[in-house]
Amino acid sequence: MHKFRTHKPLLVYAIISFALFMIVFGIFTQVISNHFTKTLKNDLINEATEIGNDYVDACYTKDYDLGYFDYKFQFLSEQYETHTVITNSKGIVLLDSLKDHDYCLDAENISSLVKDTTKGSIIVEEGSDHNQFGNPTFSIGVPIMRKGLVYCVVVMHAPLPKTNSTIFFIYRITFITLITALSLAFLYTLIFSNQTNRTLEALNKTSKEVANGNFASRVDVTYAGQFGELANNMNDMAEELGKLEAMRKDFIANISHDIRSPLTSIKGFVQAILDGTIPYENQDKYLNIVLDETERLSYLTNNILLLTKMENQQVLLEKSSFELHQIIRKVLLQFDQHIITKKMEVKLLFHKKDLVVFADTNQIQRVLYNLIDNAIKFSNLHGKLIIETTVIKDKAEISISDSGQGIPDDSIKYIWDRFHKVDRSRGKDKKGIGIGLSIVKEIIKAHDERIDVNSQLGKGTKFTFTLPLSTSKNR
């Protein structure tokens, strides 16, 4: 039943194709038959006119050659199997090709045709009578005029079988050709249909497995064309979903760690304060630690909420003109202790003293914070941090470079994905759940600007983004 359903379109196609074939064949054969019959009639009329004019001319010139007319009669008999008769205007036979011809006209037929041509019209009678063999025939009467009068009449009587045999041969060749073409088309369609069914079944099976969480399932691509492209797209989708699932698991593991650690500290210190383990004079110190941990939790949850809102385009930018270098210095001061601890060299290469841009100040601060945080986090002791600004036409270009470990080439395209972490280790300087760069990307995207990354292993990484300069048009 399943095979019938899958081949049902093919069956419908075959029925429709066969019906169309029969219609086309019928029309084609009728056109061919009409063409050959018309051609035969025209040929015989031309032959009758020629032989009739030759006869009249011979009578006028007294140059009468009976051998010539015997030759013409024999030629017409062999070529068209015609019985040819030349009569006067009263129906008296003057010349007769063969009296014992199989398709011989009788006197009554001759008189009838001659009578009908007295007005000078060519007469064609078809299928009105049959010969002794039962084959259809047709007769023509061609009047030969002189001085406005019928001088003689050429009557020809020919069978249709001669023509029909030629037409039948063409029918047969046409039928065989069309049947062969139809069979080849049907065979190709059958093969294509079977391949299509196998492809769709494989795609259906893989899609169900992917939907059930088996992201390792793949479609075996053994064909080209659109189905091959579809199969490749399905495999790419399964691969991306697998990576997303892996990132989701990493996210759950990372966020569980990032939430559990401060909660454990908060719980431990609060409990120690309540049961008196921590002396009263030291409580302020540990309460400040508790406050720092709560701020860390708040920052974490706010980042997750911000990323979700930005991806759903729920964050409205509050753009204004501000001096960019001042914001850079302000953000950089927040990392003062980390820079001192790592003994890093910091260079500020500013285009000019003041660089005013038009953007959302708070969001750009967040972009700078995340990029500088990454640069410091992944730099080694005595590393370098370079922040440079330039102006290109109506854009300010900001780049943040570090001399850290760099990003592998196969990881570059994934750094903007949520929860992706290039460094899977979780050292004290590698805290985070992998959404910082995702937030950066979304903020820059919301500003309709671009951000690029250039990295070399062992040499460092450089992030570059653009912002519009403040002008009278956008202020």
Side-chain angles (χ1 to χ4, degrees), residues 36-263:
F36 270 84
T37 302
K38 184 178 180 181
T39 301
L40 177 62
K41 291 176 183 178
N42 290 335
D43 288 346
L44 291 181
I45 290 171
N46 291 335
E47 291 288 349
T49 302
E50 181 182 351
I51 198 171
N53 286 324
D54 289 343
Y55 177 79
V56 173
D57 292 341
C59 291
Y60 272 107
T61 61
K62 307 296 182 177
D63 185 16
Y64 188 82
D65 185 2
L66 187 60
Y68 167 76
F69 290 102
D70 286 341
Y71 167 77
K72 290 292 291 185
F73 288 157
Q74 185 178 358
F75 169 78
L76 292 173
S77 180
E78 291 176 355
Q79 184 72 17
Y80 302 107
E81 295 189 66
T82 60
H83 175 208
T84 306
V85 177
I86 300 176
T87 73
N88 62 16
S89 59
K90 295 180 180 181
I92 298 173
V93 176
L94 303 175
L95 285 177
D96 194 343
S97 61
L98 292 171
K99 298 195 181 291
D100 58 348
H101 199 282
D102 288 338
Y103 302 96
C104 200
L105 281 166
D106 54 31
E108 183 180 350
N109 293 128
I110 293 173
S111 298
S112 176
L113 284 168
V114 171
K115 183 180 179 181
D116 291 338
T117 60
T118 54
K119 294 182 180 180
S121 301
I122 297 174
I123 302 301
V124 178
E125 293 181 356
E126 179 182 346
S128 58
D129 60 356
H130 295 75
N131 74 322
Q132 58 180 324
F133 302 105
N135 294 322
T137 61
F138 73 95
S139 305
I140 63 171
V142 179
I144 306 301
M145 309 293 292
R146 286 295 185 272
K147 298 178 180 180
L149 298 174
V150 176
Y151 186 89
C152 67
V153 178
V154 180
V155 178
M156 286 186 177
H157 190 63
L160 285 176
K162 181 75 174 179
T163 305
N164 287 343
S165 61
T166 304
I167 294 174
F168 180 74
F169 175 75
I170 294 175
Y171 286 173
R172 186 171 58 184
I173 294 298
T174 304
F175 185 80
I176 292 173
T177 302
L178 290 176
I179 282 292
T180 303
L182 186 63
S183 299
L184 291 175
F186 182 80
L187 181 62
Y188 172 79
T189 305
L190 179 62
I191 295 172
F192 179 76
S193 176
N194 288 333
Q195 184 181 28
T196 300
N197 288 334
R198 288 194 298 270
T199 304
L200 292 176
E201 287 173 0
L203 289 170
N204 187 41
K205 179 183 177 183
T206 301
S207 63
K208 286 182 178 179
E209 290 181 356
V210 171
N212 290 328
N214 180 16
F215 302 116
S217 180
R218 296 289 185 273
V219 182
D220 186 18
V221 183
T222 57
Y223 26 78
Q226 293 182 339
F227 281 111
E229 185 178 350
L230 180 60
N232 282 323
N233 291 339
M234 174 68 78
N235 291 339
D236 292 341
M237 181 188 72
E239 183 179 356
E240 291 302 319
L241 287 174
K243 291 175 181 178
L244 187 61
E245 176 65 11
M247 287 191 291
R248 185 188 67 83
K249 290 179 179 179
D250 286 345
F251 166 71
I252 293 174
N254 293 344
I255 200 170
S256 297
H257 179 276
D258 287 342
I259 291 177
R260 185 171 59 249
S261 295
L263 285 177

Side-chain angles (χ1 to χ4, degrees), residues 17-44:
S17 298
F18 183 75
L20 290 174
F21 165 76
M22 294 306 296
I23 293 172
V24 172
F25 180 73
I27 295 173
F28 180 75
T29 52
Q30 186 62 43
V31 170
I32 291 293
S33 177
N34 292 340
H35 171 74
F36 270 84
T37 302
K38 184 178 180 181
T39 301
L40 177 62
K41 291 176 183 178
N42 290 335
D43 288 346
L44 291 181

